[in-house]
Amino acid sequence: MVKRMEKMQLTETDRMEYKRRVTEDIERTVIGFLNTSGGELHIGMDPDGSVFGIDNYDEEIRKFTNRMRNNISPSVLGLFSASPRMGKNGKVYFIINIASGYEKPYYLNEYGMTPKGCFMRLGNETVSMPQKMIETLYMKRSLHSLHNTISPNQFLTFEQLKIYYNEKGFTVDNENLLKNLDLYTEDGKFNYLAYLMADNNGVSVKIAQYAGTDKITILHKTECGQCSLIKATKSMLSALDLYNRTGIEISSTRKDTPMVDHTALREALMNAILHNDYVRGAYPVVEFYSDRVEITSSGGLPIGLTKEEFFKGRSHPRNRELMRIFKDMELCEQLGSGMKKIMEKYKPEDYEISENFVVAGFKYNEHALEVLNGEKVPKNTGYVEIDLKGLSPLEIEVYRIIVEGRYTTAKDTAVTVGTSLRTFKRATAKLEDMKLIRRRGNNRSGTWEATS
């Protein structure tokens, strides 16, 4: 979708540059952004900020992506995102959002890590990087990235991953898919990203609910893992909506008030999953207390990203390979957009950031609690509370699909959740036994619907 932009920023800055086309020297600018604090490239713009326009958006994006893939190291795939815009004159241009790279220094393959190959932003210009700075950045580079770390298991399968890519319309050739997604180390072994994407692994993302404001009494626990991180994430998102209860008031109109803003909660979970330091062996955790929810990821802030930049939504992905896959799956949007959505509802004070952890702590909406506790419930008001005890991540995901009206056929929906038809039917049978869903129509042409 092309958005119309009514106002223009007319000045190039340290984080913004205009170009009419994808030019021969565009890598210099991209490297400059990658090696400093990121930025935006506006393609189809004149230097004064007026819209020059482009004729073929897809062709220009393809040209840009190919140049990034072939001419810059380390790999920058997953560190940029593009979106089309329309100026007031009706001409189309596009903005490429470029993150600050995690594996600095980035350089032109032709010249390597030399001042001819490494660049940085200085004001509104891209300049060569001094050799001493190149060497300093290289010393700080993370050698324990998902790409460079060998998987603890080399006997991996990727059927779930292939199903998800097929669903999104990608042409899936098994060997090429794995190579294109950077699932191998330089010496051809499966890396830690491959481990996260595999059908079976030791990765576990958890949701816990406690009776009080501490961890003394646990009420419910949901564990999503030992499968592709894509599948685990989808299960987490489904379960999250069930834990985050909504107070419903019905008088002349209906008013729904969730304990925690749905969008902010989702984005905080996605941030935790995308930026967690998996190589350390710790995984994201979501904890619902009686007064708040906390989402914890390990690893602290990425090197080179300040707290101020973090809360402004400056993108500095720790796991750029993972970011790329999640963008393909449409599980995350433009780089840096998640934090901006969170800050629309919550404040930096709601975060606790240390060297080893980032914890988002969102207090519950007081009005929602009053409604849910019966303190402000009009005569015609009610709410539905789902008991999650005994439900597996798969069963929660199946239930969510049915609640949202996305159920089609048993076969197709089984593919959607990444399981076999037999396992899917067992899940629906259990949900029916728990009286959470009911069958409408016959077994051949009928459908499933939620009971409430």
Side-chain angles (χ1 to χ4, degrees):
M1 187 173 95
V2 178
K3 298 179 180 178
R4 180 178 289 276
M5 302 294 289
E6 295 301 330
K7 294 183 179 180
M8 289 292 177
Q9 168 76 32
L10 297 179
T11 305
E12 292 185 329
T13 68
D14 61 331
R15 287 184 47 81
M16 188 178 300
E17 184 159 321
Y18 306 130
K19 289 186 179 294
R20 282 191 172 190
R21 292 286 183 270
V22 175
T23 57
E24 293 297 319
D25 63 345
I26 200 165
E27 291 88 347
R28 288 173 51 95
T29 305
V30 173
I31 290 172
F33 286 140
L34 290 165
N35 282 334
T36 39
S37 58
E40 293 181 356
L41 262 176
H42 293 230
I43 308 295
M45 302 275 286
D46 279 319
D48 63 359
S50 60
V51 179
F52 177 78
I54 57 173
D55 298 325
N56 191 321
Y57 170 74
D58 291 335
E59 182 180 333
E60 288 294 306
I61 287 293
R62 192 180 305 111
K63 186 189 303 182
F64 177 84
T65 302
N66 287 338
R67 294 187 72 91
M68 297 305 103
R69 179 188 293 114
N70 298 327
N71 300 337
I72 299 178
S73 291
S75 174
V76 301
L77 297 181
L79 291 177
F80 63 86
S81 60
S83 56
R85 296 288 190 271
M86 183 180 292
K88 289 190 291 185
N89 60 4
K91 295 181 178 180
V92 175
Y93 66 105
F94 63 94
I95 297 176
I96 300 175
N97 189 294
I98 300 164
S100 177
Y102 191 62
E103 298 178 277
K104 300 180 180 73
Y106 292 82
Y107 56 89
L108 282 171
N109 293 336
E110 183 180 359
Y111 296 106
M113 282 186 279
T114 68
K116 283 188 175 182
C118 296
F119 308 96
M120 62 183 187
R121 293 292 286 185
L122 188 62
N124 63 353
E125 296 183 346
T126 300
V127 300
S128 293
M129 184 178 287
Q131 187 64 42
K132 186 175 181 180
M133 182 180 292
I134 294 171
E135 294 169 0
T136 300
L137 287 174
Y138 182 72
M139 291 295 293
K140 293 180 179 179
R141 180 189 289 181
S142 173
L143 298 179
H144 301 293
S145 66
L146 295 181
H147 179 265
N148 295 329
T149 303
I150 298 174
S151 166
N153 179 2
Q154 290 296 306
F155 300 97
L156 303 176
T157 60
F158 303 93
E159 293 306 312
Q160 294 166 6
L161 182 65
K162 288 190 288 184
I163 287 172
Y164 286 124
Y165 267 88
N166 266 320
E167 281 187 332
K168 293 299 178 183
F170 291 88
T171 301
V172 175
D173 177 293
N174 188 49
E175 192 61 26
N176 285 336
L177 176 68
L178 303 186
K179 287 181 179 179
N180 290 338
L181 295 181
D182 288 334
L183 300 191
Y184 296 104
T185 61
E186 297 300 329
D187 57 357
K189 295 181 179 180
F190 283 128
N191 58 26
Y192 210 89
L193 179 64
Y195 185 63
L196 295 179
M197 291 297 111
D199 297 327
N200 295 285
N201 54 43
V203 179
S204 176
V205 188
K206 300 176 182 178
I207 301 180
Q209 183 182 25
Y210 302 99
T213 59
D214 52 34
K215 300 183 180 182
I216 294 177
T217 304
I218 187 168
L219 298 177
H220 300 297
K221 186 177 180 181
T222 299
E223 187 167 346
C224 306
Q226 284 76 55
C227 60
S228 169
L229 188 59
I230 298 171
K231 183 178 179 180
T233 298
K234 288 175 176 285
S235 297
M236 284 287 286
L237 292 172
S238 297
L240 205 63
D241 284 343
L242 296 177
Y243 278 97
N244 183 26
R245 296 186 298 159
T246 297
I248 302 174
E249 299 170 272
I250 303 175
S251 51
S252 58
T253 59
R254 170 173 168 153
K255 180 181 179 182
D256 294 4
T257 308
M259 296 192 306
V260 182
D261 180 80
H262 288 299
T263 299
L265 187 60
R266 182 192 187 281
E267 294 298 337
L269 173 63
M270 293 309 304
N271 278 349
I273 291 173
L274 286 168
H275 302 297
N276 186 75
D277 189 354
Y278 292 97
V279 176
R280 295 189 181 194
Y283 307 118
V285 177
V286 182
E287 296 169 304
F288 284 85
Y289 296 89
S290 60
D291 63 339
R292 71 195 186 281
V293 60
E294 291 185 354
I295 301 179
T296 303
S297 62
S298 71
L301 294 180
I303 296 172
L305 184 69
T306 66
K307 290 183 180 181
E308 182 181 6
E309 290 171 334
F310 173 72
F311 290 119
K312 284 183 177 179
R314 298 283 173 84
S315 186
H316 194 148
R318 170 177 278 115
N319 304 309
R320 55 99 184 161
E321 305 96 339
L322 185 60
M323 174 78 78
R324 176 195 174 190
I325 292 174
F326 272 55
K327 281 186 65 183
D328 287 345
M329 296 298 104
E330 299 178 355
L331 286 169
C332 62
E333 299 179 5
Q334 279 193 347
L335 297 170
S337 62
M339 182 53 64
K340 292 177 182 177
K341 291 179 180 178
I342 295 171
M343 289 295 101
E344 290 176 1
K345 299 292 182 179
Y346 298 97
K347 300 177 181 178
E349 291 76 20
D350 295 317
Y351 275 78
E352 180 183 342
I353 299 175
S354 66
E355 182 179 351
N356 297 312
F357 297 97
V358 175
V359 182
F362 302 144
K363 293 283 187 181
Y364 296 152
N365 182 289
E366 292 184 4
H367 182 74
L369 290 181
E370 289 173 345
V371 174
L372 289 166
N373 292 331
E375 299 171 16
K376 282 192 176 182
V377 185
K379 187 175 182 180
N380 296 329
T381 300
Y383 69 88
V384 177
E385 180 179 358
I386 303 300
D387 185 1
L388 296 174
K389 190 177 294 183
L391 287 182
S392 70
L394 171 65
E395 289 154 358
I396 291 173
E397 188 172 1
V398 171
Y399 176 72
R400 187 65 186 171
I401 285 175
I402 293 171
V403 167
E404 294 175 350
R406 293 189 287 118
Y407 175 84
T408 51
T409 66
K411 183 177 180 181
D412 290 344
T413 310
V415 171
T416 298
V417 297
T419 190
S420 67
L421 181 59
R422 178 178 296 180
T423 302
F424 175 80
K425 287 183 175 179
R426 282 202 299 266
T428 54
K430 182 174 179 180
L431 293 171
E432 186 178 28
D433 288 343
M434 295 177 68
K435 300 189 185 306
L436 293 175
I437 63 174
R438 58 176 167 247
R439 188 72 181 175
R440 186 176 182 181
N442 59 44
N443 289 333
R444 177 179 291 273
S445 60
T447 186
W448 287 106
E449 65 179 12
T451 56
S452 57

